[in-house]
Amino acid sequence: MNRATVIWGMLLIAGAAYLLVRVQSVGNGRVYVQRVEVQPQAAPPAEGEAPAAAPAGWVRYEPALRSSAGEEDIEVSIPRTVGVWLAALLTLCILSFLWGDNPFYKLAESVFVGASAGYAMVVGFWTGIVQNLFGKLFPELMRASFLPGQEGEGSLVYIVPLVLSVMMLMRLSPVGGWISRWPLAFFIGATAGIRLVSYFKSDFLLQIESSIVPLIVMTDGGLNWQESLKNITVTVGVLSCLVYFFFSVEHRGAAGVASRLGIWFLMITFGAGFGYTVMGRIALIAERLQFLFSDWLWLI
Amino acid sequence: MKRTVPLFIAAITGFVLIAADFVPYTQSWGDTAMIWFDILAAVAFILGGANLLRMHLQKISDVRPGWGYSVVTILAFLVTLVVGLGKFGVHPAEDFPNHPWSGDYIAHGGGFWWIYEYVYLPLAATMFAMLAFYIASAAYRAFRAKNTEATILLATAFIVLLGRTYAGVYLTGNLPESLAWLKLNYLTDVIMNVFNLAGNRAITIGIGLGVVALSLKVLLGVDRSYLGSDREA
């Protein structure tokens, strides 16, 4: 066993011992909830019918503040407490990758892959298949089961995506997998057609329209030099960047100067993008640390 | 049949949707196509899930190195799937108490919500948060103010990083009013609203043209990479 492993092992044991002591003394990581009795109302009876019996109620648990522990209707939620501990341990497992690849990280990574795939499938099933497909093809059945609040009539046109879906599932068949290319072609063709128009409008025409601004801005009869400078800089920046992207002309002379200016503008853009990306990631790590130190350890 | 029909389907679908956008009566076709698109995407997730199961079961069956992690992946996948599809722990919607399946699948307090809140979300957030360390480490190793362009990039990143935090306000907050334009938060605003705007606008125009060109290549059958190889069954 090398020295690093011994040191990390000792640190882990010390950390676990600290946690045990803290749980005994403070009880950190507990999640408190408030019991709320839900008593739904029976639907109003139809004409001539006797009123229906009130449906059975249930208990809903609302999040409660740690400071409200001991108050009436406030209790510790075992599932949520287990959840906080599990989330904390999984967070630490992922963070352990900073030390190097290790079994804890691989375990958390495997859970992440499985849970992500399951999550995507469940969301796709309830929104894509049940709501969008079955909701249109079998509206009465859906209203009687999963989607009682759904409005509107069905549409037989949705047989087309149903057929395309079945064709796509042919991919799982040992023969005839090529049939899945047909829905894929629809998928690709529809995306290309919709994106062509929408990107041309939003990314090309609208951007050009936004760039056509007065270079000299007058407000209240006087020169607004700040707005004028801004507009001139933006216009020069857009044009010089476009010259840099234009490879049909050799970047020499005036084109060379403009393209070099374009590179500088792009470098500022990339620098700002880099700064923003780092900031976003730091905000995420701060949020995770806040979870660990506040929700789990109750240190802050 | 295997390659020609899909080319026609892609071309007809694409061009019909382009034309539909110019006719007021058919403008909603695009929205309908997007709903169909969502349905097919949901079905594609089934294919993805099946593929994930197949790959990991194969790994377990062959007892390849790391097969134990495949067991964990499959367990996590199946548990999430069963809990989500079965709406475990989800009460009926309060407006429809007589419909036991009417509750939202991700309702607060339900099983799927628990998995999302305490497993998926922490893992996803921490995974992305880890990138902060790697970006910083890569930047430290790769960024060198060797020439004008690199210096501009470095200086901008430095100003934006400081200007968007309290550190920037604290460091330059005491500057006199005559030098207020040197305050880091003000400089950051100028960079973001003027220089960054110009650069991003040019890039966006390029992206717009790129998407149009790529879409036309796909619709005209010049780019057929989505069809895969001829050897597929």
Side-chain angles (χ1 to χ4, degrees), chain A residues 87-292:
Chain A
L89 293 177
L90 289 173
T91 302
L92 290 177
C93 285
I94 296 288
L95 288 177
S96 72
F97 191 72
L98 293 172
W99 171 39
D101 201 6
N102 64 76
F104 295 112
Y105 172 76
K106 283 181 181 162
L107 184 80
E109 189 190 34
S110 305
V111 173
F112 183 49
V113 171
S116 306
Y119 177 78
M121 268 185 81
V122 170
V123 173
F125 176 77
W126 288 113
T127 56
I129 296 177
V130 171
Q131 198 171 316
N132 289 340
L133 182 63
F134 293 165
K136 297 284 184 189
L137 281 176
F138 318 110
E140 287 306 321
L141 182 65
M142 288 297 111
R143 264 194 280 273
S145 54
F146 301 121
L147 308 167
Q150 180 176 274
E151 292 172 356
E153 292 305 307
S155 170
L156 284 178
V157 180
Y158 279 78
I159 286 175
V160 179
L162 178 68
V163 171
L164 290 172
S165 301
V166 174
M167 289 166 87
M168 187 172 259
L169 288 176
M170 285 296 286
R171 190 96 182 160
L172 297 171
S173 156
V175 286
W178 57 271
I179 293 177
S180 66
R181 284 176 180 165
W182 292 20
L184 188 69
F186 171 81
F187 206 88
I188 298 285
T191 311
I194 292 168
R195 296 281 183 255
L196 188 148
V197 179
S198 64
Y199 271 74
F200 196 71
K201 279 181 191 167
S202 63
D203 279 19
F204 188 72
L205 296 178
L206 269 178
Q207 294 298 324
I208 291 174
E209 190 185 338
S210 308
S211 302
I212 300 171
V213 287
L215 298 182
I216 306 295
V217 181
M218 306 292 283
T219 45
D220 300 329
L223 173 71
N224 185 338
W225 68 269
Q226 274 186 322
E227 276 301 304
S228 303
L229 192 62
K230 181 190 169 188
N231 287 356
I232 290 170
T233 313
V234 170
T235 308
V236 169
V238 172
L239 290 175
S240 58
C241 287
L242 288 176
V243 169
Y244 172 69
F245 287 136
F246 192 64
F247 298 110
S248 300
V249 173
E250 203 173 349
H251 292 172
R252 281 186 179 179
V257 172
S259 118
R260 189 156 181 80
L261 188 64
I263 295 176
W264 290 352
F265 269 94
L266 287 171
M267 286 300 136
I268 293 174
T269 308
F270 295 148
F274 174 80
Y276 247 64
T277 309
V278 173
M279 283 292 300
R281 303 304 177 200
I282 287 174
L284 270 179
I285 196 92
E287 189 265 327
R288 292 322 297 157
L289 292 177
Q290 192 183 10
F291 165 76
L292 288 177

